[in-house]
Amino acid sequence: MGTKILVIDDEPDIEPLLLQRFWLTIREGIYQFKFARGGYEAISLIKAEPDYDVLLVDINMRDMDGLTLLSYLPDLLPNGRAVMVSAYGDMDNIRTAMNRGAFDFVCKPINFKDLELTVEKTARHVHQLRESARTKLAADLKTHFFDNITHEFRTPLTLILAPVERLLRQWSEHQGTQRDLIAIDRNARQLLRLINQLLDLAKLEVGHLQVNPQPGYLSEFIDQLVQAFVPIAEQRGITLNYQTDVSGMWLFDAEKVGQIGYNLLANAIKFTTGPATQKAGSTHVTVRLENGSPIRLSVSDTGIGIPTANLPHIFDRFYQVNSLVRPLEPGTGIGLSMVKELTELMGGTVSVSSSTGTPTTPSGSTFVVDLPICPLSTEEGVVDDSFSIRDWFPLRATEPDTEWGSITPPEDAPLVVVVEDNDELRTFLAEELTNHYRVLTAASGERGWTMIQTELPDVVISDVMMPGMDGYALTQLIKTTPATDHIAVILLTAKAASDSRLAGLQQGADDYLTKPFVIEELVLRLRNLLARQQRLRTLYQQQLARPELPQPIETVQDGWLRTLFTVLDEHLDDSSFTVERLAECMALSSKTLLRKVQSLTQLSTNDLIRRYRLRKAVDLLRAGHGVSETAYMVGFDTPSYFGQCFKEIYQVTPKDFAISTKA
Ligand code: ADP
């Protein structure tokens, strides 16, 4: 396609000059020229045809000068570039133009050879720019598509894995059923692992896979991975052992290191059962994790080995050694390419040595992965448990859970609102959670938001991807609305990517769970959040009830409570300042105010006002004010009622308190 050039100049001679000069390239369709006599005309031409590649702009024009026009271009024509035309010596204007984003400039009188080269260079730049914008758009679309597909796969998988997990508990006595359920669980996880791998592969292709290092115990992590293979190794008569001298916390991307280890171990076991290695006891798989810089993970086996001729190709995508000795094991040929690409993404290297054996030397393969990951001191981070190794491996079927049962929640059990558009998942969550909590459900973000405002629950569990108002938008509403900003939010997402996790946390979500999740994990996180809320309530109460602590307004973490205390301060001596007026000041109804105060402090609004006033009285008495004076200063109508309330909270009369502080 040719290059479209718009020439903006108020000198009429420029048009025939350029048409003459460029006639050959115009005839061949390489360049196409349009002319405008000033900035305004240029703007309307660009608006009509917003696909100009190069703009040739005279700086000095009468109606709108070139510099002003330039400032409109980023919005009007983001992918076009301007070449400025100005008189020799007009360096100031030229410099300004370049600073405002002009691509290049030519001087008048125009040297046409120079102009041709400049136009050509600018056109080349614009075409490259367009090409990379197109590639980026395609890559973004692809990633978006993958995210959606992941969602489509993970939601049904959650609905397989979660009920299986419940059934496993219910049928723990019944061996036959257990066996079947374990098979379902294992296969669903296998499916999940494959899907994740395929999606990672696709993301690697468009360069969208990112490394997301988190603090964690590396050697324990690898140990868990190895342990997950013990049953299958035993079944095949393979001795599996793990050696390491690594300890403590490390900063690593567990998901990627896990995939690397998983693929190497799965291969080692898969290819250690060939006809040549049938003798039990003669087959070993050893995993070694060695300290050093970089950290070295090696997986060696005494299996069939890889013929030398095939070795250079085994890290290629979809490559499988096509040999008669290849065991009848299905495979996709992507495992090792993933190992290599993930390792390299993390800045590491992978190598292999292998032999198919001779009459005197045994066969076997060793894969070595070197990863430049850093140790951490224990204090530096909290282990992120959001990545669960159980995403990949079967649950241990017989794990007992004594706290689990069918209990009807008490009336004062915490209230949870579940917002999820998938009917099945919503019903499932509600059924599971009613064992512990009072649960309300909503099928859309909008319905959820209405429910949250009227019910003021303790926690909201919301899906991220929903048509209409999504989980992020809902979280943002909850966290920016004063009446609801104390409510904890757990987001459920199909996106395993760390950027979506971040997006959720940025909106103020308190926790985040990636599908498929096990219900116990959700309950555990709910329990943690509720316990944190309870600790805060106790803290706020103590701040009011303990005179030795500083004034609550100085220490309270909750911004809304701080505002409320400020309002109370402003009306401290006003005994007619009622709950209704406080609600008005806080822009809430009295009912909502009560529920918000209750959920933050477990006190009624009246109680909170009284306790706040009494806490203020403590300081006034300490400062030497008399009891009656203090009573009026903190808004009590009569000193006797003040005395009575004071004693109730502080177990001492105001008079005695004043005496004790003087002593
Ligand atoms: P696959 O899904 O076939 O296992 P991989 O990419 O993981 O694909 O491996 C590619 C090929 O490399 C395998 O098909 C196999 O022939 C060979 N290979 C990988 N690991 C081993 C091993 N430990 N021992 C023998 N051959 C192996």
Side-chain angles (χ1 to χ4, degrees):
M1 223 179 67
T3 300
K4 269 181 91 170
I5 304 166
L6 178 61
V7 183
I8 307 131
D9 199 324
D10 56 359
E11 277 181 38
D13 330 341
I14 195 87
E15 185 168 340
L17 256 174
L18 283 177
L19 291 177
Q20 190 192 6
R21 185 75 201 188
F22 284 92
W23 75 272
L24 197 64
T25 44
I26 295 172
R27 200 187 63 186
E28 287 174 355
I30 300 174
Y31 290 141
Q32 193 189 331
F33 280 93
K34 281 266 171 88
F35 295 86
R37 288 283 151 77
Y40 292 112
E41 191 187 343
I43 289 178
S44 55
L45 283 177
I46 294 170
K47 279 188 177 158
E49 291 175 36
D51 61 345
Y52 288 100
D53 301 291
V54 180
L55 264 57
L56 219 53
V57 189
D58 190 8
I59 290 188
N60 302 299
M61 289 184 293
R62 272 183 297 273
D63 73 341
M64 177 199 282
D65 69 28
L67 291 178
T68 314
L69 174 64
L70 197 58
S71 58
Y72 290 107
L73 291 184
D75 291 333
L76 273 180
L77 203 61
N79 285 328
R81 287 295 178 265
V83 173
M84 307 308 285
V85 184
S86 193
Y88 265 117
D90 188 17
M91 273 335 272
D92 273 355
N93 275 331
I94 288 172
R95 197 175 303 116
T96 312
M98 297 304 283
N99 286 340
R100 288 192 191 172
F103 183 73
D104 208 340
F105 65 94
V106 290
C107 292
K108 277 183 177 175
I110 293 174
N111 170 337
F112 279 94
K113 191 69 215 157
D114 179 33
L115 178 68
E116 268 172 37
L117 289 174
T118 311
V119 167
E120 200 183 299
K121 183 179 71 179
T122 315
R124 224 178 15 249
H125 175 78
V126 168
H127 290 306
Q128 273 168 2
L129 211 69
R130 298 239 159 108
E131 190 50 42
S132 59
R134 259 195 297 278
T135 321
K136 187 177 174 305
L137 181 71
D140 286 350
L141 282 175
K142 230 172 168 176
T143 307
H144 185 64
F145 167 77
F146 293 137
D147 277 345
N148 286 341
I149 285 280
T150 328
H151 183 74
E152 296 302 315
F153 278 117
R154 284 176 178 242
T155 303
L157 277 170
T158 299
L159 288 165
I160 297 174
L161 286 168
V164 164
E165 191 203 337
R166 186 175 33 166
L167 288 172
L168 271 169
R169 272 193 310 271
Q170 283 170 1
W171 293 84
S172 59
E173 306 295 319
H174 201 281
Q175 271 201 0
T177 314
Q178 278 265 320
R179 219 179 13 253
D180 290 346
L181 289 169
I182 290 172
I184 298 174
D185 186 80
R186 186 179 52 242
N187 283 294
R189 277 172 212 282
Q190 169 76 353
L191 197 57
L192 180 66
R193 199 180 58 75
L194 276 171
I195 289 160
N196 283 343
Q197 194 142 304
L198 278 174
L199 289 166
D200 278 356
L201 205 68
K203 282 191 176 172
L204 271 168
E205 205 169 287
V206 293
H208 278 196
L209 197 66
Q210 283 168 354
V211 184
N212 176 29
Q214 304 272 349
Y217 294 96
L218 181 63
S219 94
E220 285 80 352
F221 178 76
I222 302 290
D223 191 26
Q224 276 186 54
L225 193 72
V226 176
Q227 291 312 317
F229 282 92
V230 166
I232 181 156
E234 276 174 0
Q235 212 176 37
R236 297 185 177 206
I238 298 169
T239 323
L240 176 59
N241 84 60
Y242 172 52
Q243 302 160 354
T244 183
D245 57 1
V246 171
S247 62
M249 289 258 265
W250 294 76
L251 197 61
F252 64 104
D253 184 328
E255 186 137 8
K256 296 193 180 57
V257 174
Q259 272 202 45
I260 292 170
Y262 183 97
N263 281 315
L264 292 179
L265 259 159
N267 277 346
I269 288 172
K270 185 156 84 176
F271 297 104
T272 308
T273 47
T277 56
Q278 287 288 308
K279 273 184 282 152
S282 67
T283 50
H284 302 279
V285 171
T286 307
V287 180
R288 222 176 254 125
L289 184 67
E290 290 166 54
N291 215 335
S293 185
I295 279 269
R296 171 163 290 187
L297 171 71
S298 49
V299 179
S300 13
D301 62 65
T302 53
I304 58 173
I306 303 163
T308 317
N310 301 102
L311 269 181
H313 305 291
I314 54 160
F315 292 108
D316 296 347
R317 279 195 192 168
F318 315 121
Y319 186 84
Q320 297 182 302
V321 178
N322 190 11
S323 142
L324 287 176
V325 291
R326 187 179 155 77
L328 287 175
E329 288 273 4
T332 51
I334 57 172
L336 285 182
S337 71
M338 284 301 294
V339 167
K340 184 166 191 305
E341 289 181 49
L342 292 176
T343 304
E344 287 174 356
L345 190 70
M346 291 187 281
T349 54
V350 54
S351 60
V352 55
S353 58
S354 187
S355 155
T356 46
T358 64
T360 48
T361 54
S363 63
S365 314
T366 298
F367 287 84
V368 176
V369 175
D370 284 330
L371 288 172
I373 53 183
C374 320
L376 281 178
S377 65
T378 323
E379 303 79 48
E380 270 181 272
V382 194
V383 185
D384 178 11
D385 57 358
S386 63
F387 173 75
S388 164
I389 200 125
R390 294 205 305 196
D391 278 1
W392 298 346
F393 307 114
L395 288 168
R396 223 160 286 145
T398 46
E399 268 175 21
D401 190 343
T402 42
E403 285 183 51
W404 203 267
S406 262
I407 321 148
T408 321
E411 262 176 36
D412 61 348
L415 180 64
V416 177
V417 165
V418 175
V419 189
E420 166 66 66
D421 61 328
N422 181 302
D423 295 342
E424 244 181 308
L425 187 54
R426 190 177 60 248
T427 315
F428 170 76
L429 283 172
E431 275 172 16
E432 289 293 325
L433 295 175
T434 28
N435 285 340
H436 307 261
Y437 309 107
R438 290 179 297 135
V439 182
L440 292 171
T441 61
S444 70
E446 289 81 1
R447 299 239 283 274
W449 176 230
T450 314
M451 187 178 280
I452 290 160
Q453 283 170 289
T454 49
E455 301 298 330
L456 292 186
D458 297 279
V459 180
V460 173
I461 298 172
S462 170
D463 190 13
V464 166
M465 281 205 202
M466 290 183 292
M469 187 192 292
D470 67 9
Y472 297 141
L474 179 64
T475 309
Q476 203 193 10
L477 268 178
I478 295 174
K479 294 294 181 181
T480 52
T481 304
T484 56
D485 65 1
H486 64 286
I487 298 172
V489 179
I490 299 182
L491 285 178
L492 304 178
T493 182
K495 294 184 184 178
S498 60
D499 48 350
S500 57
R501 177 189 171 93
L502 219 75
L505 296 176
Q506 266 166 6
Q507 305 298 345
D510 299 78
D511 210 339
Y512 207 95
L513 225 66
T514 307
K515 290 179 192 171
F517 51 85
V518 283
I519 195 79
E520 285 154 313
E521 190 173 356
L522 177 63
V523 170
L524 201 72
R525 290 186 184 222
L526 260 174
R527 214 180 283 166
N528 285 344
L529 276 178
L530 290 164
R532 199 169 77 199
Q533 286 179 346
Q534 188 54 42
R535 277 198 301 277
L536 274 176
R537 280 181 199 126
T538 316
L539 178 77
Y540 295 147
Q541 280 195 20
Q542 279 179 355
Q543 282 177 339
L544 286 166
R546 290 179 37 191
E548 73 278 13
L549 296 177
Q551 274 293 338
I553 197 160
E554 290 163 22
T555 48
V556 71
Q557 292 164 357
D558 186 278
W560 184 85
L561 265 184
R562 201 175 314 120
T563 314
L564 186 141
F565 291 157
T566 314
V567 173
L568 289 180
D569 271 349
E570 284 161 7
H571 300 88
L572 198 61
D573 59 356
D574 180 357
S575 63
S576 66
F577 190 69
T578 53
V579 169
E580 285 69 30
R581 281 185 52 205
L582 177 61
E584 227 169 81
C585 294
M586 298 302 290
L588 297 175
S589 72
S590 313
K591 197 172 139 217
T592 312
L593 177 67
L594 171 67
R595 299 186 51 188
K596 171 127 187 165
V597 167
Q598 261 174 340
S599 78
L600 280 171
T601 61
Q602 250 170 355
L603 299 171
S604 70
T605 318
N606 255 326
D607 228 8
L608 179 75
I609 297 178
R610 194 166 40 243
R611 285 185 193 221
Y612 188 77
R613 293 186 152 163
L614 291 168
R615 178 63 191 83
K616 280 279 173 185
V618 164
D619 285 2
L620 291 171
L621 291 169
R622 268 196 195 126
H625 295 276
V627 172
S628 308
E629 186 193 6
T630 302
Y632 298 123
M633 281 170 88
V634 298
F636 278 81
D637 276 336
T638 62
S640 62
Y641 183 55
F642 166 68
Q644 189 189 326
C645 295
F646 192 96
K647 187 157 186 221
E648 237 167 64
I649 302 290
Y650 299 113
Q651 271 84 52
V652 55
T653 62
K655 199 169 158 205
D656 290 346
F657 180 80
I659 294 167
S660 72
T661 54
K662 277 189 204 118

